[in-house]
Amino acid sequence: MIDLRSDTVTKPNDEMREAARDADVGDDVYGEDPTVNELEARAAKLMGMEAALYVPTGTMGNQIAARVHTDRGQEVLVERESHVYKWELGGLAQHSALQVRTIDGGDRGTPTPEQVRDGYVVQDAHRPGTGLLTLENTHNSKGGVAIAPAEIDAAAEAAHDLGVPVHLDGARVCNAAVARDVSPARLTENVDSVMFCLSKGLGAPVGSLLAGDEDFITRARRTRKLLGGGMRQVGVIAGPGLLALDNVSRLADDHENARVLAEGVADTDGLSVQPPETNIVLVNTEGTGLTADEFLAACETQDVLGTQFDTHVVRFCTHWDVNREDVEVAAEAIRSAI
């Protein structure tokens, strides 16, 4: 079975398993886990931030950021297809009592400065006021598009001019950096906080990092405890995370494999394939007469797994557990399924 459902399905390699076994550990709630402390310091440097906080999941990282940046009852500006809005169980409302105002970010999922200004709400006796702008890079629902630094800068500058902080959901920001041939820190240069995942293309079995300035991370650490994320001898999972930080450059292999997969199925009758920029391939099945569910069921009979994104949209995601031969076989299997 060639599993292209997500880059979260990767298995830790032997080196990561050894790092987990041999990690030097302590009680992280007391700040005494040396492996976690090293991971947070390296992650902060990678993102060009003062400090970082290790969290179990990217969703928790995003939700902590929203809670720390805002006052309860404020509005948060989000792109209407963004992960923090679509796929986090209404956490902005449940955890932070935030009201959401959506922006249509177009094909690339990034609001323009004009849209940010138009969405901004001034706090008064009747209106809650805008407390946060969230951005996403790469943008998952738009097919893993790698947003250019200038686009992030422009939206963030518009928010900052209005006194609004900016959080970047950078679950795959390292993919964006590789695709754009810039450092991750360049993509976070003008935002106030960023979350990025170790457990996707970087290959760690678990964990994400939330980064920002020292004061933000101090408050984020307290909120992590509130949400049940205060872990103890967590070096056993932070150890593999340290190795994951060395895997940024290899993301180019996943991007190339996504390109090979996309080209391999692009000429299949009835399929419409979005050319990938990173490791995500979106396939529209409407021309085949099949729904996404029906298409995926047919693919599974050919030993290929994917994920439904919409009624007629399927996502295939490359990662370090699939190689060039795997994606070539997968492309042929998808054609056979049709």
Side-chain angles (χ1 to χ4, degrees):
M1 188 69 72
I2 300 173
D3 194 343
L4 299 171
R5 289 173 298 171
S6 177
D7 46 10
T8 61
V9 303
T10 58
K11 302 295 197 300
N13 59 19
D14 290 343
E15 190 179 9
M16 284 190 174
R17 293 176 186 273
E18 290 170 4
R21 181 194 66 199
D22 298 337
D24 190 10
V25 300
D27 192 320
D28 180 52
V29 172
Y30 292 128
E32 295 173 355
D33 192 300
T35 307
V36 173
N37 293 343
E38 181 183 356
L39 176 63
E40 291 175 342
R42 283 186 57 190
K45 184 176 181 180
L46 180 67
M47 293 294 142
M49 298 289 184
E50 291 180 358
L53 178 68
Y54 189 42
V55 293
T57 69
T59 293
M60 181 180 280
N62 284 337
Q63 294 301 321
I64 289 173
R67 176 111 182 188
V68 172
H69 279 307
T70 61
D71 294 327
R72 297 177 73 80
Q74 286 186 311
E75 285 196 355
V76 53
L77 290 172
V78 302
E79 205 282 322
R80 68 175 187 171
E81 298 291 329
S82 63
H83 191 281
V84 71
Y85 177 56
K86 286 184 68 176
W87 306 111
E88 298 187 10
L89 290 172
L92 295 171
Q94 296 203 65
H95 299 306
S96 301
L98 294 174
Q99 179 166 290
V100 172
R101 183 177 294 271
T102 60
I103 298 173
D104 182 355
D107 292 341
R108 302 191 65 76
T110 303
T112 65
E114 293 75 20
Q115 288 177 309
V116 173
R117 288 190 284 268
D118 288 345
Y120 174 72
V121 171
V122 178
Q123 179 178 327
D124 61 21
H126 305 282
R127 307 190 75 184
T130 300
L132 180 65
L133 168 68
T134 68
L135 304 171
E136 185 173 336
N137 198 10
T138 66
H139 198 297
N140 184 27
S141 291
K142 300 298 183 180
V145 293
I147 310 304
E151 294 179 76
I152 297 290
D153 294 346
E157 182 179 349
H160 289 155
D161 286 346
L162 296 166
V164 175
V166 181
H167 172 67
L168 178 64
D169 175 356
R172 296 183 177 90
V173 72
C174 292
N175 290 86
V178 169
R180 288 285 174 179
D181 194 25
V182 298
S183 69
R186 173 62 190 92
L187 294 171
T188 65
E189 191 173 296
N190 290 296
V191 301
D192 299 284
S193 60
V194 59
M195 181 283 297
F196 74 101
C197 292
L198 302 175
S199 57
K200 293 185 169 68
L202 300 182
V206 63
S208 296
L209 276 300
L210 178 63
D213 65 28
E214 293 280 3
D215 179 65
F216 171 82
I217 292 300
T218 296
R219 290 180 290 148
R221 194 174 297 277
R222 189 168 187 267
T223 303
R224 184 186 68 174
K225 187 71 165 68
L226 171 68
L227 298 180
M231 302 172 284
R232 299 296 178 173
Q233 288 73 31
V234 74
V236 293
I237 54 175
L242 281 169
L243 296 180
L245 294 180
D246 296 327
N247 290 336
V248 173
S249 62
R250 67 147 305 277
L251 295 173
D253 297 337
D254 295 343
H255 300 175
E256 175 63 13
N257 286 336
R259 183 192 64 79
V260 170
L261 177 66
E263 291 181 353
V265 300
D267 60 353
T268 306
D269 287 345
L271 292 183
S272 174
V273 182
Q274 178 177 313
E277 295 183 16
T278 55
N279 67 324
I280 290 174
V281 179
L282 294 188
V283 178
N284 190 300
T285 67
E286 192 167 8
T288 67
L290 299 175
T291 64
D293 271 347
E294 293 167 338
F295 172 75
L296 286 170
C299 288
E300 189 168 357
T301 67
Q302 302 296 316
D303 295 330
V304 176
L305 299 178
T307 301
Q308 179 183 358
F309 250 36
D310 206 339
T311 305
H312 292 100
V313 179
V314 168
R315 185 188 76 174
F316 295 112
C317 190
T318 55
H319 50 81
W320 77 347
D321 279 351
V322 293
N323 57 30
R324 174 69 172 264
E325 181 181 358
D326 291 328
V327 296
E328 290 173 347
V329 170
E332 177 60 33
I334 292 167
R335 290 193 297 267
S336 298
I338 293 298

